[in-house]
DNA sequence: TCTGGCTCAGAACATACGTTCACTAAGGAG
DNA sequence: CTCCTTAGTGAACGTATGTTCTGAGCCAGA
């Protein structure tokens, strides 16, 4: 973690600011730094902070107490975070549709887990994006296995062939399938040669979202 | 995001602290809150902060300027972050092995991208963990497609059947395959019925790591 | 009606904290 | 040698900022 162009004192200050911020969730004062680094005067701290600021290591807000921000540590999750936290809201059946507790099942319950996905890696991720853990192997030919997590983006319109979270209103059941429009009915097609498609009327179907990503743990 | 048990003013204060902290990376002062929320006195802010603290919404460090920390907002990436940042270091051939520029190709180059993965979701993720983008479809039967990203964990020992990043020392080539020991030679097995395995001597093989996860973007 | 708790206003106080200034000391260039 | 830059010392200054005190209005319950 050593950086060129900084003398030991400046590195020490930089590290202290990072640790302090991590532990207490707010930056240190100049006098905090002074004491921690055994510096005799606040002016020395100020002097070295100027150097760190010119070097682009930190950003300072003048005349503001604790107005220090450490920049650009790429291993520090707090720095430059552009990702979005995506909750894993529950399970989705990739085989037979299964009933779920309530219609806003995925709105109320606590997430099973939470993922942090980088912006831009999977199209646009926003606050509506969520994830579901897949039960069953009906989408195996689409490379989605039992236990995988699918990232779901609520969308207004879907195209034929999209993998969607399909909600059957009458049956109050949800399932993960590919969607194809066929006249006034809709075919929900599994991606498994041993399974048959389901046909539903457009009225009965509500598309909760479209799968924009898949995440699998192989351990 | 509304929370029960809080009057509008307290909710407004809580939201302001969150937004302020997010934008400036340090918490606001009592007077910052006062102005932003149109409160006539600092004592009112202090009063309401006490209530928020008793309710467990924030933590305060007494006598410390900006000593406020918002607790338990699961959408705030900074709160309770336990994930690790994983760099996508380059490409890996899942088909024919391909030569790579240098032996420490994946150590020196800039990452193509960066992922933030939650601790615990994929076994143990540490600072050595990295990711590679897959070229080719030879692992298609293992549900790894062209363009997928595999999460790789350097390990000391591998078991037969593990999906590994295999480095052929003589050929200076890397490939993604399943590994099986067969006497004094090793079989590198694609997961694609149209492709044949590769046999190498144990001396010639260096296992760079084991695949512990797969991430796919379907948009 | 009185009382007590909740919420707030305004002001004053003490100290925390960033800034600045004058001065010192060690090197390097001319 | 002087002149300049880098690095540090110690103190003072002024504002920023958390704390506290007095008192008000409101409302439910005795």
């Amino acid at each position: 973690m050593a950086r060129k162009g900084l003398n030991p004192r400046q590195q020490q200050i930089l590290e202290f600011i990072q640790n302090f911020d991590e532990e207490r969730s707010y930056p240190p004062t100049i006098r905090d730094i002074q004491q921690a680094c055994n510096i005799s005067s606040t002016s020395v701290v100020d002097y070295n902070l100027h150097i760190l600021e010119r070097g682009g290591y930190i950003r300072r807000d003048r005349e503001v107490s604790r107005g220090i921000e450490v920049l650009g540590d790429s291993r520090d999750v707090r720095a430059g975070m552009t990702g979005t936290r995506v909750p894993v809201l529950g399970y989705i059946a990739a085989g037979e549709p299964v009933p779920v507790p309530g219609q806003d099942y995925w709105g109320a319950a606590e997430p099973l887990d939470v993922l942090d996905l980088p912006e831009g890696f999977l199209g646009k991720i926003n606050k509506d994006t969520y994830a579901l853990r897949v039960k069953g192997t009906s989408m195996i030919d689409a490379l989605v296995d039992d236990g995988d997590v699918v990232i779901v983006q609520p969308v207004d319109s879907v195209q034929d062939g999209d993998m969607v979270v399909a909600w059957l209103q009458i049956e109050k059941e949800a399932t993960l399938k590919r969607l194809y429009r066929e006249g006034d009915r809709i075919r929900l097609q599994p991606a498994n040669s041993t399974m048959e498609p389901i046909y539903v009327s457009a009225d009965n179907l509500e598309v909760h979202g479209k799968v924009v990503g898949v995440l699998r743990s192989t351990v």
Side-chain angles (χ1 to χ4, degrees), chain A:
Chain A
M1 196 66 80
R3 329 200 180 194
K4 46 198 172 184
L6 294 185
N7 67 32
R9 176 157 286 182
Q10 284 148 13
Q11 285 188 31
Q12 191 188 6
I13 291 176
L14 200 53
E15 262 180 55
F16 171 71
I17 298 173
Q18 283 178 322
N19 294 337
F20 189 101
D21 204 356
E22 218 163 297
E23 284 175 27
R24 320 234 297 201
S25 77
Y26 50 81
T29 67
I30 286 184
R31 282 174 177 84
D32 287 333
I33 300 171
Q34 181 195 359
Q35 284 182 31
C37 300
N38 281 316
I39 298 173
S40 64
S41 172
T42 59
S43 64
V44 178
V45 180
D46 187 62
Y47 170 74
N48 284 291
L49 286 181
H50 266 283
I51 294 173
L52 287 173
E53 190 180 19
R54 264 203 304 275
Y57 298 99
I58 61 173
R59 194 176 62 77
R60 289 186 79 188
D61 270 19
R62 298 314 179 77
E63 321 245 341
V64 166
S65 73
R66 302 173 191 274
I68 308 175
E69 181 183 359
V70 179
L71 302 172
D73 182 349
S74 68
R75 271 282 175 185
D76 179 4
V77 193
R78 294 159 196 276
M81 165 66 71
T82 57
T84 304
R85 189 158 273 211
V86 177
V88 182
L89 293 182
Y91 291 90
I92 177 80
E96 291 299 305
V98 295
V100 293
Q103 78 256 35
D104 58 347
Y105 174 53
W106 291 317
E110 276 300 295
L112 302 175
D113 205 342
V114 178
L115 309 176
D116 294 297
L117 297 177
E119 205 81 55
F121 183 74
L122 301 170
K124 30 183 177 301
I125 294 174
N126 58 37
K127 299 228 177 206
D128 296 328
T129 305
Y130 60 95
L132 297 172
R133 196 174 286 270
V134 173
K135 285 275 192 190
T137 58
S138 81
M139 299 305 284
I140 195 83
D141 292 344
L143 307 181
V144 176
D145 199 4
D146 184 58
D148 287 5
V149 171
V150 290
I151 319 292
V152 181
Q153 173 69 50
V155 287
D156 293 329
S157 64
V158 293
Q159 299 188 319
D160 278 16
D162 279 354
M163 197 189 306
V164 300
V165 175
W167 171 258
L168 307 180
Q169 302 199 42
I170 296 173
E171 293 86 348
K172 295 205 183 313
E173 292 172 340
T175 186
L176 185 68
K177 295 279 184 299
R178 286 200 191 281
L179 177 146
Y180 296 91
R181 275 174 276 254
E182 296 188 345
D184 55 352
R185 68 177 189 175
I186 289 169
R187 186 174 96 236
L188 295 176
Q189 178 72 49
N192 185 324
S193 53
T194 69
M195 297 183 186
E196 296 302 318
I198 297 175
Y199 295 93
V200 296
S201 74
D203 293 343
N204 190 24
L205 179 73
E206 192 175 291
V207 174
H208 272 196
K210 173 178 161 183
V211 172
V212 296
V214 182
L215 182 56
R216 178 183 319 130
S217 169
T218 63
V219 285

